[in-house]
């Protein structure tokens, strides 16, 4: 295969005798094209999502929305920073952007993955507390506490990358086999598998267990209500329960799609860290990039309030058309009405 390749000490011609696994040119072109398309769609979709949720009053004041915005900002950064750099890497079949950006790239990549997962953990715990302990929900999710939670999410996510960034445990640099900037071994060790467990497996387990608890709690509450409540009470609370269930299902869909997108990449990075099957890394990477694009489509396709928020931004004239009848209660919480809750 023609085209420049990289080596483990710099950029340009490979070292004599160094074993490099070349990608078919068709594969690198397709990967670059996917990165460009995902970058454009991801920046546009997530930027619109952030603006829409910040401006739409019925969503802005609720805790779930704050964590959704955090998730969208993470996807926005990934689409705006990582994907253009990735497109350059595959087009040139080499890393030509210098050593500094080669360290920044994996820092943003893995940091944003952690932010996305921890934001989903926060969303899931938020939904569980809403359903199981609605009496203390408003006290737990005040503006100050939500801001503190978001600070913890972002600080912890990027702090996990400090050991390889500073060279204490592994290092951030160029992997010549795939001309990618990633977490490399230093002195024979790397934190990649540890970060996979702590930053990916543990949050996924927490989210999965939380959704199982939500399902069990909703099922139990529904049976108790049907057994003891009258028809009028069931009708009175039925709408809000359905709305809360829709939001919970939407967030579960977000998590499952994230899992489907990122699990292949995490698995090949851990099980094939010597890059024996390079094309598997390319396919897994393309799937992972899709995770930064699909969420706005899930929001718009599964929840009416999110569609209204998008419409307010994209079609401001038609969204101002007055509607008749009472507005439904916000789907994020039937209990949070305190001005201090967001």
């Amino acid at each position: 295969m023609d085209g420049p390749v990289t080596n483990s000490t710099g950029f340009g011609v490979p070292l004599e005798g160094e074993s490099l696994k070349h990608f078919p040119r068709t594969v690198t072109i397709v990967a670059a094209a996917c990165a460009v398309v995902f970058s454009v769609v991801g920046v546009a979709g997530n930027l619109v999502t952030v603006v829409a949720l910040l401006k739409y009053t019925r969503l802005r004041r609720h805790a779930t929305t704050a964590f959704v915005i955090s998730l969208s900002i993470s996807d926005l950064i990934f689409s705006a920073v990582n994907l253009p750099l990735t497109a350059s890497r595959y087009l040139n079949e080499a890393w030509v952007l210098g050593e500094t950006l080669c360290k920044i790239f994996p820092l943003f990549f893995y940091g944003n993955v952690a932010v996305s997962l921890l934001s989903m953990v926060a969303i899931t715990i938020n939904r569980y507390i809403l359903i199981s302990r609605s009496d203390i929900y408003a006290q737990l999710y005040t503006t100050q506490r939500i801001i503190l939670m978001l600070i913890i999410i972002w600080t912890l996510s990027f702090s996990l990358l400090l050991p390889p960034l500073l060279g204490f445990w592994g290092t951030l640099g160029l992997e010549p086999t795939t001309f990618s900037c990633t977490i490399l071994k230093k002195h024979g060790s790397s934190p990649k598998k540890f970060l996979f467990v702590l930053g990916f497996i543990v949050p996924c387990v927490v989210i999965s267990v939380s959704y199982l608890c939500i399902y069990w709690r909703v099922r139990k509450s529904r049976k108790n209500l049907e057994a003891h409540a009258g028809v009028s009470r069931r009708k009175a609370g039925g709408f809000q329960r359905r709305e809360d269930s829709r939001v919970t299902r939407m967030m579960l869909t977000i998590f499952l799609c994230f899992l489907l997108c990122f699990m292949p990449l995490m698995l090949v990075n851990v099980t094939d860290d010597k890059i024996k099957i390079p094309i598997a890394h390319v396919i897994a990477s393309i799937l992972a990039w899709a995770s930064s694009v699909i969420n706005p489509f899930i929001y718009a396709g599964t929840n009416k309030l999110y569609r209204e928020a998008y419409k307010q931004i994209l079609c401001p004239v038609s969204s101002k058309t007055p509607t008749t009848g009472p507005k439904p209660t916000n789907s994020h919480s039937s209990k949070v009405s305190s001005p201090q809750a967001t």
Side-chain angles (χ1 to χ4, degrees):
M1 180 187 67
D2 296 329
V5 290
T6 58
N7 59 55
S8 58
T9 60
F11 309 90
V13 182
L15 293 173
E16 184 177 355
E18 187 173 15
S19 176
L20 297 177
K21 299 177 178 63
H22 294 180
F23 296 97
R25 185 56 177 160
T26 303
V27 172
T28 59
I29 291 175
V30 170
C34 289
V36 170
V37 172
F38 288 168
S39 177
V40 173
V41 176
V43 168
N46 288 292
L47 184 60
V48 170
T49 299
V50 172
V51 175
L53 297 185
L54 286 174
K55 291 191 67 175
Y56 193 56
T57 306
R58 294 176 63 194
L59 289 174
R60 187 179 60 210
R61 67 177 180 264
H62 295 284
T64 307
T65 302
F67 300 118
V68 171
I69 290 174
S70 173
L71 178 60
S72 298
I73 291 174
S74 172
D75 288 339
L76 177 61
I77 293 173
F78 182 86
S79 300
V81 176
N82 287 88
L83 288 181
L85 298 180
T86 298
S88 169
R89 175 166 70 92
Y90 279 105
L91 281 175
N92 292 286
E93 295 183 331
W95 185 267
V96 297
L97 301 171
E99 185 177 354
T100 300
L101 278 178
C102 194
K103 291 182 179 295
I104 291 175
F105 180 88
L107 178 68
F108 275 76
F109 180 88
Y110 291 104
N112 277 303
V113 171
V115 169
S116 296
L117 270 171
L118 291 182
S119 296
M120 283 186 271
V121 169
I123 289 170
T124 309
I125 293 174
N126 170 268
R127 304 310 301 172
Y128 177 73
I129 293 175
L130 170 64
I131 291 172
S132 65
R133 294 301 306 274
S134 57
D135 54 320
I136 63 171
Y137 184 88
Q139 287 72 37
L140 284 177
Y141 288 96
T142 63
T143 300
Q144 293 78 11
R145 288 178 178 174
I146 291 171
I147 292 174
L148 179 60
M149 292 175 194
L150 293 174
I151 291 173
I152 291 173
I153 287 172
W154 283 81
T155 302
L156 178 60
S157 297
F158 283 91
S159 295
L160 293 174
L161 277 299
L162 283 179
L165 178 65
L166 300 176
F168 296 145
W169 186 12
T171 185
L172 302 181
L174 188 67
E175 167 54 58
T177 308
T178 57
F179 41 89
S180 65
C181 296
T182 184
I183 301 174
L184 304 175
K185 289 184 178 180
K186 184 177 181 180
H187 305 306
S189 66
S190 164
K192 185 176 287 187
K193 292 184 180 180
F194 171 78
L195 293 176
F196 174 69
V197 173
L198 183 63
F200 191 83
I201 295 296
V202 171
C204 286
V205 170
V206 171
I207 293 171
S208 300
V209 171
S210 297
Y211 275 118
L212 286 175
C213 292
I214 288 173
Y215 172 78
W216 177 82
R217 184 77 185 192
V218 169
R219 183 183 177 90
K220 182 179 179 181
S221 298
R222 186 175 298 159
K223 287 184 177 180
N224 290 340
L225 187 65
E226 290 175 351
H228 301 289
V231 175
S232 60
R233 285 184 60 190
R234 288 201 298 270
K235 289 183 177 180
F239 175 80
Q240 187 56 50
R241 287 195 303 274
R242 288 194 301 271
E243 289 297 300
D244 286 338
S245 295
R246 289 190 189 104
V247 174
T248 303
R249 285 196 298 270
M250 180 181 72
M251 296 308 167
L252 176 59
T253 302
I254 294 289
F255 168 63
L256 292 177
C257 289
F258 179 91
L259 206 60
L260 290 174
C261 288
F262 261 100
M263 185 60 78
L265 181 63
M266 294 299 175
L267 290 177
V268 297
N269 278 342
V270 172
T271 60
D272 188 31
D273 56 352
K274 294 184 179 179
I275 325 296
K276 294 180 180 179
I277 313 173
I279 194 170
H281 289 259
V282 176
I283 296 172
S285 294
I286 293 174
L287 287 174
W289 305 340
S291 69
S292 65
V293 175
I294 59 176
N295 286 352
F297 296 98
I298 296 174
Y299 300 144
T302 60
N303 190 276
K304 182 179 179 181
L305 288 181
Y306 280 78
R307 285 196 296 272
E308 291 177 359
Y310 287 130
K311 186 177 180 182
Q312 189 178 73
I313 297 299
L314 300 176
C315 307
V317 176
S318 60
S319 66
K320 292 180 180 179
T321 304
T323 57
T324 58
K327 293 182 179 180
T329 308
N330 185 282
S331 64
H332 287 260
S333 172
S334 60
K335 303 292 182 183
V336 181
S337 58
S338 170
Q340 67 177 354
T342 59

